[in-house]
Amino acid sequence: MKWWLMLLPAAVAGPLFEDVTRPAGLDSVIVSGGARKNYVLEVNGSGVCWLDFDRDGWLDLYLVNGASLAELQGKAKRTAVNHLYRNNRNGTFTDVTAKAGVEGRGWGFGCVAADYDGDGAVDLLVTNFGPNVLYRNRGDGTFEDATAKAGVAGGTVWHAGAAFGDYDGDGDLDLFVPGYLDFDAVKPEFKTCEYKGLTVHACGPLGYRGAPDALYRNRGDGTFEDVTEAAGVADKPLYFGFQAVFEDFDNDGRPDLFVGNDSNPNYLYRNRGNGTFEEVGAAAGVAFSADGKEMSSMGVAVADYDGDGWMDIFVTTFSDDNYILFHNDGKGLFSDVSYEAGVGEATVPFLGWGALFFDQDNDGLPDLFCANGHVYPEVDGGKADAGRRETYRQPLQLFRNRGGGRFEEDRAARALGNHPARGAAAGDFDNDGRVDVAVSMMDARPVLLRNTAAGGNWLRVKLAGAGPNTAAVGARVRVTAGGRTQMAAVRAGESYLSSNDPRLHFGLGQASAAEVEVEVRWPSGKLQKVAAKANREIEIREVR
């Protein structure tokens, strides 16, 4: 058994987060249509991905950019590009987009980072309004456009939050891409609708036709096969798909698939283990909220927040609908516990997008972060409703996990100001043992939040798979320290149009270093155990 240790400093006292966007050198503006937001295409924003593209042990950052209708119509040259920022390992980043060859094209929405070809270098998929782009990492600091060869362009569909996972257990990463809605960018229909007495223009998605989802099976030779129909995940009602997540929700060792849909029932596809899925969303209790309503399920976060050994699901929703926490009860059933868990009432006034579970204070309990922002600029001129006034820019929210299945909002996060936030991704970019957050904004610079909060001990686990799935996407890690066992899984694609740090972070509280035991269940089903000390990163390589 081989494992490596990288010694890192323990967390130290400090405030909740520090906005380090400008000193870090993140100066690009994320564009999403015009300022007035006349069309639904202009209001959904874009995502952000953490990835170590140059394999130096430090997270780099990729930001997806939009465009304008004039650019899509061929009336103007595209000026905004996607941005790849290389981590300088001193708290700053350098824009290497042009050198790396990942500028993107068209109107970008989401990104997901994963090593799809098994060569050990993380690749990058960008989902667009129109054909996707798959960038293959050459391993020399540059990427090549492998979309045509791979066969994952997907046509003219409006693509949303994709996810990679090995659904068929053959060792290669497969790809699922939700479709959002059918929008005519060449001759867009100018609509008006009513929202709380206001006339607004970015109407949708209701009133539009949805767009199809797609599942691509990795053939293992750099190409993919569209198996959407054969695998049983064809989106026949054409729901408005936002974000997909592969995860083993029933603990049978096979990745299932959750798809958050906007203003439609969510999908939960149970993996049958024979290359096909069964849709069980309504029967499992995740298709609707507790009161039977369809949700605007924008962001999706997954974690075992209460330590019972089952993965739970959190989704962000539209304003006046509380965000939903689905507790995994086991036996294929979930319960909406939003209000009893403490995340219901506090989220009603807001409109949520990116959603993240991570242990912000290293106490051993995963906390919950929400990126919020309205879709209608017109609300800034609206009247107060029930004693409050909605705003286009909204605060970020952090809910602290108090144990016992309860969360409590730490309103210090609101002091970071109001934002037009969209995608969000969690990752320890400065390798100090505290999880940081990058948030994509609408028509503004992104926000990089450095975690400077006081906290306990910690452990970060980096996995190296033995086969083509080099980052071990789908693997589960259990860490036992101080009598408490935590579980986390490696995923590629989550939150809203985004990808988190593939390394797994565990807060250990005040547990002593001698008490840490790590167990890995690899995607192959093999179990591997190691002992570890606190306040460092360990790399565990799969034993063949």
Side-chain angles (χ1 to χ4, degrees):
M1 182 181 300
K2 295 182 179 179
W3 56 292
W4 289 259
L5 298 178
M6 184 169 70
L7 296 176
L8 296 170
V12 296
L16 193 65
F17 289 105
E18 178 187 5
D19 185 341
V20 296
T21 310
R22 288 186 180 274
L26 305 181
D27 56 0
S28 59
V29 172
I30 306 301
V31 175
S32 188
R36 295 187 60 183
K37 308 305 176 196
N38 289 326
Y39 303 97
V40 65
L41 180 63
E42 301 176 294
V43 302
N44 288 348
S46 56
V48 54
C49 286
W50 290 113
L51 71 161
D52 181 8
F53 85 95
D54 53 2
R55 292 182 282 187
D56 66 351
W58 296 76
L59 290 177
D60 310 299
L61 186 64
Y62 190 74
L63 298 167
V64 181
N65 219 325
S68 68
L69 277 170
E71 290 167 350
L72 285 185
Q73 295 164 350
K75 298 177 181 179
K77 183 179 179 181
R78 187 188 185 206
T79 56
V81 299
N82 302 341
H83 291 273
L84 176 62
Y85 286 97
R86 180 177 55 80
N87 194 326
N88 296 326
R89 296 180 280 185
N90 61 1
T92 69
F93 292 80
T94 297
D95 191 330
V96 296
T97 311
K99 180 181 178 181
V102 290
E103 295 93 337
R105 59 174 177 263
W107 191 315
F109 278 94
C111 58
V112 57
D115 179 13
Y116 79 91
D117 57 357
D119 64 356
V122 64
D123 310 299
L124 191 61
L125 177 87
V126 181
T127 59
N128 293 322
F129 179 84
N132 302 314
V133 182
L134 179 61
Y135 290 112
R136 178 183 171 273
N137 191 333
R138 294 189 178 104
D140 60 358
T142 68
F143 292 76
E144 65 175 314
D145 186 339
T147 314
K149 177 184 176 182
V152 295
T156 58
V157 169
W158 181 347
H159 301 101
F164 281 98
D166 181 12
Y167 84 92
D168 55 359
D170 65 355
D172 298 301
L173 289 181
D174 311 299
L175 173 65
F176 185 86
V177 185
Y180 187 51
L181 60 77
D182 185 1
F183 181 85
D184 187 347
V186 177
K187 295 181 179 180
E189 180 182 359
F190 184 77
K191 297 183 177 183
T192 60
C193 45
E194 291 292 314
Y195 178 75
K196 295 187 176 181
L198 294 170
T199 299
V200 297
H201 301 291
C203 307
L206 298 178
Y208 288 93
R209 181 173 179 266
D213 302 338
L215 175 64
Y216 299 97
R217 185 182 67 82
N218 192 330
R219 294 190 179 104
D221 60 358
T223 69
F224 290 79
E225 173 189 7
D226 189 333
V227 294
T228 311
E229 288 281 350
V233 295
D235 178 24
K236 293 182 180 179
L238 292 180
Y239 290 161
F240 308 114
F242 258 142
Q243 181 63 51
V245 177
F246 279 106
E247 182 53 63
D248 180 9
F249 291 108
D250 53 6
N251 286 353
D252 65 354
R254 298 186 292 262
D256 308 302
L257 178 63
F258 178 83
V259 184
N261 293 313
D262 184 7
S263 304
N264 294 132
N266 298 321
Y267 289 133
L268 178 60
Y269 294 107
R270 184 181 65 83
N271 193 329
R272 290 191 175 109
N274 61 358
T276 69
F277 293 84
E278 176 188 10
E279 206 288 301
V280 297
V286 297
F288 308 95
S289 62
D291 52 2
K293 292 182 179 178
E294 298 170 342
M295 299 162 281
S296 299
S297 302
M298 280 80 89
V300 180
V302 174
D304 177 17
Y305 75 89
D306 56 353
D308 65 355
W310 299 85
M311 289 294 187
D312 311 296
I313 303 172
F314 177 82
V315 296
T316 54
T317 62
F318 209 83
S319 57
D320 292 332
D321 288 332
N322 64 276
Y323 304 169
I324 307 293
L325 179 60
F326 291 111
H327 178 265
N328 191 334
D329 302 328
K331 299 181 180 180
L333 298 175
F334 291 77
S335 297
D336 180 344
V337 297
S338 309
Y339 277 88
E340 49 262 58
V343 298
E345 184 175 354
T347 57
V348 170
F350 303 117
L351 198 162
W353 303 88
L356 307 169
F357 278 111
F358 65 96
D359 190 350
Q360 194 270 340
D361 52 3
N362 283 339
D363 66 351
L365 298 168
D367 307 304
L368 186 56
F369 178 93
C370 304
N372 304 319
H374 217 287
V375 296
Y376 302 131
E378 295 90 345
V379 297
D380 283 341
K383 296 180 180 179
D385 179 28
R388 63 177 175 84
R389 185 184 300 278
E390 284 188 276
T391 59
Y392 181 67
R393 295 171 175 264
Q394 297 184 351
L396 305 171
Q397 289 182 287
L398 179 73
F399 292 89
R400 292 207 178 279
N401 191 331
R402 297 304 188 190
R406 290 281 304 173
F407 291 84
E408 179 182 3
E409 185 180 3
D410 187 336
R411 295 178 69 91
R414 299 196 186 190
L416 294 164
N418 290 353
H419 303 276
R422 293 298 186 264
D428 184 3
F429 81 89
D430 53 0
N431 281 343
D432 69 349
R434 290 165 292 193
V435 180
D436 313 299
V437 179
V439 185
S440 179
M441 299 293 170
M442 291 276 290
D443 305 310
R445 292 179 176 85
V447 169
L448 179 60
L449 300 175
R450 180 175 178 268
N451 186 342
T452 54
N457 297 314
W458 56 274
L459 179 72
R460 188 165 57 239
V461 179
K462 178 181 179 181
L463 299 182
N469 183 4
T470 59
V473 173
R476 283 191 172 180
V477 174
R478 285 181 169 83
V479 169
T480 301
R484 174 186 293 167
T485 297
Q486 304 174 56
M487 179 180 70
V490 182
R491 287 183 286 270
E494 199 174 349
S495 184
Y496 173 70
L497 308 176
S498 300
S499 267
N500 298 318
D501 188 343
R503 305 171 299 179
L504 301 179
H505 181 95
F506 298 88
L508 303 179
Q510 301 308 311
S512 69
E515 295 177 301
V516 185
E517 298 177 357
V518 182
E519 179 186 272
V520 183
R521 191 198 74 187
W522 299 95
S524 64
K526 295 178 183 177
L527 291 178
Q528 195 170 340
K529 296 182 180 181
V530 302
K533 293 183 179 180
N535 302 323
R536 62 195 67 200
E537 175 181 304
I538 67 170
E539 182 176 87
I540 305 176
R541 294 184 176 274
E542 182 179 8
V543 176
R544 291 182 182 273

